[in-house]
Amino acid sequence: MTHKKLYKATAILSGIIIILMLILRNAQSEIFTVLSSTLGLVIFYTLLYYLFQTEKIKFGTSNLRLKYLVLGISIPLLIFAIDVTTDLDGGFLKNSVRILLAIEIAYLIFYWTYEYRKRIQKLKKDKLEAELMLLKNQINPHFFFNTLNNLYSLIKKDADAAQDYVLKLSDLMRFTIYDSGKESVKLKDEVSYLINFIDLQTARYHKDIDVNFEKTIKNSDASIAPLLFIILLENAFKHGVERATENAFVHIKLIEDDNKVSFAVKNNYDTDESLENKGIGLKNLKDRLNLLYPNTHTLHNSIEENIYSTTLEIYKK
């Protein structure tokens, strides 16, 4: 019998019993008591069946038959025992029966609630992991598409430099493929990744670029989610260096202490460029930050004349 049919049958049976109880409410017989007890049992066993099926199917718990068989027998017996012992003078037996019933009901309620909350947390975790994987899969093609274009251009201009470019690119790919799937990486590995990226970017441009990477790191083994800073750095080159005809610069400052990790980038910016068309990178970064560091990060950007500034701060718990 499906859940829907069971609940429909329960509703019909309960309705018939309630109608009979209304008709016989003034009858001088035990029928009314029998009907009320039957109604209670129908509702109780329907609820017990629902809890059993939910725990079995949704929670994935096994070996439940014995537990629910014991509950299905003992709880009605304890309720009957309470009625039987109500008129007894001794308090120990009455209290013991009531305590046992309270324990069983409390166990049933709290255990099922615990399993339900655990199931919800697992679903949230699975959803979070799926969303993070989707965002990473969006970031990687976006980044490597630009990088491979850079390599193609460099091969035509400087074959020797292209060889070094390939080695650095392989390091980037190794980090992205093997480390981006981790929940966190060491800050020093993320910094090495950024340095390789900077070297690859500066190699493709045949013009002077003022690149300054200032680092103040207290603990280089501190953990950080991978590939958070690369979007800001990539945008600095894409929307700054690439468009600047002279005096191109990218100034980066990374600070790590006991309280937070701060990553700031300043670069040239064409004030005529629209802020609305920034691609998927920045949006994905915001989405990942909201998933990984909810309420423990800030991301600010500003434009003063032709200088674009972005600062990401991640606060340690």
Side-chain angles (χ1 to χ4, degrees):
M1 180 180 292
T2 63
H3 288 185
K4 187 175 181 180
K5 290 181 179 180
L6 175 65
Y7 301 147
K8 184 177 180 180
T10 300
I12 294 173
L13 181 59
S14 299
I16 294 172
I17 294 174
I18 291 172
I19 292 173
L20 291 174
M21 289 174 64
L22 292 174
I23 294 173
L24 300 172
R25 65 182 181 276
N26 296 322
Q28 299 297 322
S29 67
E30 297 295 326
I31 298 179
F32 184 84
T33 302
V34 172
L35 288 173
S36 62
S37 299
T38 303
L39 177 62
L41 288 174
V42 168
I43 295 174
F44 170 73
Y45 283 116
T46 302
L47 175 62
L48 204 65
Y49 177 79
Y50 168 77
L51 297 177
F52 170 76
Q53 290 295 331
T54 301
E55 189 173 344
K56 178 182 178 181
I57 298 173
K58 294 185 178 180
F59 300 161
T61 312
S62 57
N63 302 323
L64 297 174
R65 292 183 180 276
L66 180 60
K67 181 179 79 171
Y68 277 91
L69 181 62
V70 171
L71 291 171
I73 295 174
S74 60
I75 290 178
L77 287 178
L78 288 172
I79 293 174
F80 177 74
I82 288 176
D83 184 64
V84 171
T85 58
T86 299
D87 297 330
L88 294 180
D89 294 333
F92 176 77
L93 183 59
K94 290 193 296 184
N95 292 334
S96 298
V97 171
R98 286 162 174 76
I99 290 173
L100 286 174
L101 179 62
I103 290 174
E104 287 204 15
I105 293 176
Y107 167 80
L108 185 62
I109 293 174
F110 286 110
Y111 180 81
W112 192 88
T113 302
Y114 168 76
E115 289 294 326
Y116 179 79
R117 288 175 60 88
K118 187 169 71 173
R119 171 66 175 172
I120 293 298
Q121 291 300 319
K122 184 178 184 304
L123 289 174
K124 288 182 177 179
K125 182 180 179 182
D126 292 345
K127 180 175 180 291
L128 173 63
E129 291 177 353
E131 289 177 346
L132 287 175
M133 186 57 65
L134 175 62
L135 292 174
K136 287 177 181 179
N137 288 339
Q138 289 175 330
I139 289 172
N140 295 346
H142 172 69
F143 169 72
F144 283 114
F145 176 77
N146 291 334
T147 305
L148 290 174
N149 278 341
N150 298 345
L151 177 59
Y152 176 77
S153 300
L154 189 61
I155 289 174
K156 296 173 65 176
K157 296 176 182 177
D158 189 340
D160 293 333
Q163 294 181 10
D164 185 57
Y165 194 101
V166 170
L167 291 176
K168 290 183 181 293
L169 179 59
S170 68
D171 288 337
L172 261 71
M173 292 181 67
R174 188 179 300 109
F175 180 88
T176 305
I177 292 171
Y178 294 108
D179 291 340
S180 67
K182 299 178 181 178
E183 291 185 4
S184 62
V185 296
K186 293 181 179 179
L187 185 59
K188 62 183 179 183
D189 294 330
E190 187 74 13
V191 169
S192 297
Y193 177 78
L194 296 176
I195 292 174
N196 276 335
F197 176 83
I198 292 171
D199 291 342
L200 292 177
Q201 289 296 319
T202 53
R204 64 175 289 219
Y205 296 108
H206 290 277
K207 60 182 177 181
D208 292 331
I209 306 172
D210 177 15
V211 179
N212 180 33
F213 192 176
E214 180 182 340
K215 300 174 288 293
T216 304
I217 300 174
K218 183 176 181 180
N219 179 18
S220 61
D221 290 329
S223 297
I224 189 75
L227 304 177
L228 291 180
F229 306 137
I230 187 64
I231 298 300
L232 303 180
L233 189 55
E234 184 182 12
N235 281 343
F237 279 93
K238 180 179 179 181
H239 300 286
V241 173
E242 190 169 309
R243 294 177 176 274
T245 56
E246 58 182 10
N247 299 324
F249 73 91
V250 177
H251 293 172
I252 311 133
K253 182 179 292 187
L254 175 63
I255 300 175
E256 184 275 335
D257 55 32
D258 294 332
N259 299 316
K260 65 182 178 181
V261 178
S262 175
F263 185 79
V265 183
K266 290 185 178 181
N267 58 271
N268 306 80
Y269 184 75
D270 184 356
T271 55
D272 295 330
E273 183 182 1
S274 173
L275 288 172
E276 296 179 358
N277 186 20
K278 291 295 184 183
I280 65 172
L282 194 57
K283 180 182 182 303
N284 284 351
L285 173 61
K286 292 177 180 178
D287 290 341
R288 288 190 67 206
L289 287 170
N290 289 330
L291 291 169
L292 293 168
Y293 300 102
N295 303 317
T296 56
H297 76 275
T298 58
L299 179 62
H300 298 296
N301 56 69
S302 62
I303 301 174
E304 294 184 7
E305 296 182 355
N306 65 333
I307 298 177
Y308 189 91
S309 302
T310 305
T311 301
L312 169 59
E313 292 185 338
I314 299 172
Y315 304 100
K316 298 182 180 180
K317 298 180 179 179

